[in-house]
């Protein structure tokens, strides 16, 4: 007896535009004795491969009409897909109407996207809008408790992997493919929407999945001559307590600032300017954390975004009341602090909420989108591998962990210097790592901060002895970096010669 949730595949409905490369699928279905239903052209192809097939028309008693526009849209087909095996009424209905159960739906849609991109005339593009195939996919995906859906020829390897082992599916497999199916139909429908919308909104052709109605206008884009919009739900993240409207640049800086804050449980302040951290500190006293963050680069903090993971105190508000800033964001404001800061009506005051970041990051590129998993690999101290003779002492370990949290959110090439819970220097966005180091050291000197005893973090390989020598000469005592370069030993030997500790994390954190 099969465990609950397993469903034997007895009958498959196959409707394919592209049929190449599916010969093994047919053979596997045949080996397991799975009956095949299919539409005209696909049925002819299956029969030509030497396998038995029942045409849809023989089941529905209705021929394909309107030049193939209507083939599978019939209760005898959709009843077999949508019927629930655990519902007596469904079972009786299908038995009375002699409708067979369908356990597998394999569909490859008309190539609308390819036809649209080819520049084909409008009537030809319209004929490639699939109707029956989309309906089959959605029906099978909806009834994933009973039916396995394969919504594209690109998903066929998933089916073949199952059939090589067994003639039945699990609930997890069916639910997984249901998700994939609704992703396929949503992208397909969105491509149709963008094509139909191209004349009314020609500038939106690259905004897949975003309707003009959902775009919130911003003051402007990165520059005043550029229009800007935000598509999303800001009210799930911020409550604006005062100030002017948020701008495109404000939102980028706030997003980056919150990413830094999410790394810390202890009280922290971070100051963001042009999407770079110019001040960051942690301390059990949030007022001290603020002062140390501002001290790191007060000049660059002018016009910046200030964020904290603790409520804004009157002490901080007193420091900020005559300081020019774009926005302050915190979980809350002490009443006196809020009253003081809101006296200048243009200052943006935000109360940020707890929220879950999406697993995927999306950015536009080349008239399309780049999609990747969010870079979230937390590091515990015991996971760091000391590769030098000298080991970090407890205070250095604490600073190393902080520096690593900061550098992985800093634009490459990046170097971060930390001393006693304060980021004292940062080099960000440089084309060479030694230049990033020079910049970080110069920032520390300019702020009058002591580098002696500081630690250094590099978000990527730190393989050459010259960088180690320059850092040691300035007073750096410990370095944390990914490791993994063929020249690692050069920097390790330099650390041993100069009496520095070095820790490898095993993870690179490029950010562009």
């Amino acid at each position: 007896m099969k465990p609950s949730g397993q469903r034997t595949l007895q009958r498959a409905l196959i409707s394919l535009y592209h049929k190449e490369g599916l010969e093994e699928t047919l053979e596997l279905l045949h080996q397991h004795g799975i009956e095949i239903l299919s539409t005209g052209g696909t049925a002819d192809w299956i029969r030509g491969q030497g396998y038995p097939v029942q045409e849809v028309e023989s089941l529905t008693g209705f021929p394909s009409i309107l030049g193939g526009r209507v083939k599978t849209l019939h209760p005898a087909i959709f009843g077999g897909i949508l019927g629930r095996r655990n519902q007596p009424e469904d079972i009786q209905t299908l038995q009375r109407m002699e409708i067979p159960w369908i356990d597998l739906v394999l569909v490859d849609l008309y190539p609308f996207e390819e036809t649209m991109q080819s520049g084909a005339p409008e009537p030809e593009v319209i004929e490639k809008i699939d109707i029956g195939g989309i309906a089959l996919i959605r029906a099978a995906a909806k009834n994933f408790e009973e039916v396995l859906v394969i919504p594209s020829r690109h998903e066929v390897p998933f089916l073949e992997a199952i059939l090589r082992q067994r003639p039945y599916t699990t609930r997890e497999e069916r639910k997984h493919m249901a998700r994939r199916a609704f992703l396929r139909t949503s992208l397909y429908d969105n491509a149709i929407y963008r094509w139909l919308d191209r004349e009314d909104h020609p500038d939106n052709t690259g905004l897949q999945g975003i309707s003009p109605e959902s775009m919130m206008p911003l003051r402007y884009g990165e520059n005043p001559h550029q229009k800007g919009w935000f598509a999303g739900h800001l009210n799930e993240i911020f409550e604006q307590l005062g100030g002017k409207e948020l701008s495109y640049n404000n939102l980028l800086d706030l997003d980056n600032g919150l990413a830094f804050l999410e790394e810390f449980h202890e009280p922290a302040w971070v100051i963001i300017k042009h999407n770079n951290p110019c001040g960051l500190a942690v301390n059990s006293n949030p007022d001290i954390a603020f002062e140390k963050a501002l001290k790191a680069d007060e000049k660059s903090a002018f016009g910046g975004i200030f964020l904290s993971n603790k409520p804004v105190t009157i002490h901080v508000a007193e420091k900020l009341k005559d300081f020019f800033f774009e926005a302050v964001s915190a979980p809350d404001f002490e009443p006196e602090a809020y009253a003081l800061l809101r006296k200048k009506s243009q200052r943006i005051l935000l109360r940020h909420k707890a929220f879950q970041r999406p697993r995927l990051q999306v950015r536009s590129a080349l008239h399309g989108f780049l999609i990747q998993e969010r870079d979230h690999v937390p590091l515990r101290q015991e996971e760091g591998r000391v590769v030098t003779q000298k080991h970090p002492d407890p205070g250095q370990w604490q600073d190393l962990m902080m520096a690593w949290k900061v550098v992985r959110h800093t634009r490459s090439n990046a170097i971060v210097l930390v001393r006693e819970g304060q980021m004292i220097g940062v080099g960000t966005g440089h084309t060479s790592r030694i230049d990033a180091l020079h910049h970080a050291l110069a920032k520390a000197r300019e702020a009058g901060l002591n580098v002696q005893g500081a630690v250094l973090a590099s978000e990527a390989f730190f393989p050459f002895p010259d960088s180690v020598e320059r850092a040691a000469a300035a007073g750096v005592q410990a370095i944390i970096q990914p490791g993994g370069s063929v020249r690692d030993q050069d920097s390790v030997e330099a650390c041993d010669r100069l009496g520095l500790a070095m820790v490898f994390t095993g993870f690179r954190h490029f950010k562009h």
Side-chain angles (χ1 to χ4, degrees):
M1 182 176 178
K2 296 189 300 297
S4 175
Q6 292 184 1
R7 297 291 183 267
T8 299
L9 297 172
Q10 299 183 65
R11 187 172 292 102
L13 172 61
I14 301 179
S15 179
L16 305 170
Y17 186 87
H18 295 98
K19 306 169 183 65
E20 307 80 12
L22 294 175
E23 291 81 6
E24 182 182 358
T25 307
L26 295 178
E27 176 60 25
L28 289 167
L29 292 170
H30 182 67
Q31 288 176 7
H32 289 298
I34 299 169
E35 297 178 20
I36 299 176
L37 280 170
S38 193
T39 52
T42 305
D44 290 342
W45 176 77
I46 294 172
R47 198 174 291 112
Q49 299 297 313
Y51 298 100
V53 59
Q54 179 184 3
E55 294 205 33
V56 163
E57 289 88 339
S58 69
L59 177 63
T60 63
F62 207 90
S64 171
I65 62 171
L66 305 179
R69 282 189 165 197
V70 180
K71 293 191 288 283
T72 58
L73 297 170
H74 193 281
I77 299 299
F78 282 85
I81 296 171
L82 288 165
R84 293 160 292 187
R85 274 69 160 177
N86 63 349
Q87 294 290 324
E89 185 178 349
D90 287 10
I91 296 171
Q92 292 168 10
T93 298
L94 266 64
Q95 289 175 343
R96 185 176 67 255
M97 296 185 172
E98 298 182 347
I99 296 175
W101 300 102
I102 295 174
D103 315 291
L104 167 65
V105 172
L106 168 54
V107 174
D108 189 59
L109 297 172
Y110 289 169
F112 174 83
E113 297 100 329
E114 293 90 335
T115 309
M116 172 187 71
Q117 292 165 2
S118 73
E122 185 170 283
E124 185 177 337
V125 177
I126 289 173
E127 286 309 309
K128 290 300 186 289
I129 297 176
D130 205 312
I131 303 301
I134 283 280
L136 291 171
I137 290 172
R138 290 177 60 85
K142 175 178 179 177
N143 200 23
F144 71 85
E145 293 289 354
E146 309 291 350
V147 180
L148 175 67
V149 60
I150 303 296
S152 162
R153 70 185 188 279
H154 302 299
E155 305 285 2
V156 166
F158 184 87
L159 171 63
E160 291 177 343
I162 294 172
L163 293 175
R164 290 190 195 104
Q165 302 176 56
R166 47 185 159 80
Y168 61 87
T169 62
T170 66
R171 185 180 188 276
E172 290 75 17
E173 290 165 344
R174 297 191 301 274
K175 188 173 182 180
H176 168 73
M177 289 312 302
R179 288 196 299 269
R180 299 289 300 171
F182 282 116
L183 173 63
R184 175 68 180 121
T185 60
S186 67
L187 293 175
Y188 192 85
D189 285 342
N190 185 255
I192 298 168
Y193 161 76
R194 288 186 292 110
W195 180 73
L196 292 172
D197 193 52
R198 70 196 185 284
E199 294 177 357
D200 293 335
H201 300 99
D203 294 334
N204 294 337
T205 54
L207 301 178
Q208 300 179 23
I210 301 175
S211 67
E213 294 78 13
S214 69
M215 295 165 60
M216 179 183 79
L218 302 172
R219 294 206 311 268
Y220 48 79
E222 282 187 283
N223 301 290
H225 63 273
Q226 296 172 268
K227 292 181 180 180
W229 297 265
F230 176 81
H233 305 284
L234 277 182
N235 60 341
E236 295 178 0
I237 301 173
F238 297 112
E239 178 186 356
Q240 185 162 351
L241 305 177
K244 58 190 176 183
E245 293 179 4
L246 289 162
S247 72
Y248 183 99
N249 294 331
N250 292 158
L251 294 177
L252 285 176
D253 288 344
L254 286 163
D255 181 67
N256 199 26
L258 289 174
F260 284 103
L261 283 187
E262 289 163 9
E263 296 284 355
F264 300 102
H265 298 294
E266 60 266 60
W269 274 92
V270 60
I271 306 166
I272 304 293
K273 185 73 170 289
H274 293 306
N275 221 226
N276 294 311
C278 59
L280 196 153
V282 298
N283 193 280
S284 58
N285 185 330
D287 292 343
I288 294 175
F290 170 81
E291 291 176 359
K292 293 177 76 171
L294 185 59
K295 174 66 175 173
D297 192 354
E298 188 167 343
K299 180 173 68 175
S300 294
F302 184 84
I305 304 283
F306 288 69
L307 303 98
S308 179
N309 58 3
K310 300 297 178 184
V312 177
T313 65
I314 185 61
H315 174 85
V316 170
E318 288 283 359
K319 298 285 185 181
L320 283 174
K321 68 177 182 179
D322 296 320
F323 191 90
F324 174 66
F325 62 86
E326 277 285 305
V328 174
S329 182
D332 209 347
F333 293 74
E334 290 183 353
E336 298 87 349
Y338 173 65
L340 183 60
L341 292 175
R342 69 188 296 266
K343 287 182 177 179
K344 293 189 177 180
S345 61
Q346 294 298 297
R347 286 174 165 170
I348 299 170
L349 306 179
L350 299 167
R351 181 185 287 129
H352 58 244
K353 309 171 186 179
F355 71 101
Q356 185 71 38
R357 286 187 181 268
R359 184 177 64 87
L360 299 179
Q361 291 179 316
V362 182
R363 66 192 298 180
S364 61
L366 302 172
H367 200 59
F369 293 95
L370 289 170
I371 303 169
Q372 67 171 354
E373 292 181 322
R374 188 166 62 93
D375 183 6
H376 182 64
V377 183
L379 179 73
R380 296 190 300 271
Q381 180 176 319
E382 58 269 23
E383 295 172 328
R385 182 165 64 94
V386 180
V387 294
T388 48
Q389 296 170 8
K390 182 179 179 181
H391 284 235
D393 63 34
Q396 290 170 345
W397 264 118
Q398 194 168 359
D399 282 345
L400 284 169
M401 297 304 292
M402 173 182 169
W404 187 247
K405 290 175 181 179
V406 175
V407 79
R408 70 188 199 88
H409 293 289
T410 305
R411 201 166 303 280
S412 301
N413 285 313
I415 295 291
V416 168
L417 301 173
V418 168
R419 184 173 181 272
E420 296 178 353
Q422 178 186 27
M423 186 185 76
I424 62 172
V426 59
T428 175
H430 289 271
T431 52
S432 78
R433 200 154 299 281
I434 189 68
D435 286 345
L437 174 58
H438 286 322
H439 189 90
L441 292 171
K443 278 296 186 182
R445 286 195 303 270
E446 185 180 316
L449 298 171
N450 185 11
V451 179
Q452 189 64 44
V455 306
L456 177 155
S458 172
E459 96 292 3
F461 303 146
F462 201 73
F464 299 110
D466 57 348
S467 295
V468 175
E469 292 162 355
R470 180 72 185 87
V476 169
Q477 293 295 304
I479 296 171
I480 188 167
Q481 60 131 324
S485 167
V486 294
R487 300 288 298 272
D488 278 344
Q489 193 57 33
D490 292 351
S491 60
V492 171
E493 289 175 358
C495 284
D496 285 338
R497 174 166 47 85
L498 296 166
L500 275 65
M502 180 172 278
V503 176
F504 285 179
T505 68
F507 289 95
R508 187 189 76 183
H509 292 289
F510 273 165
K511 184 179 180 186
H512 298 102

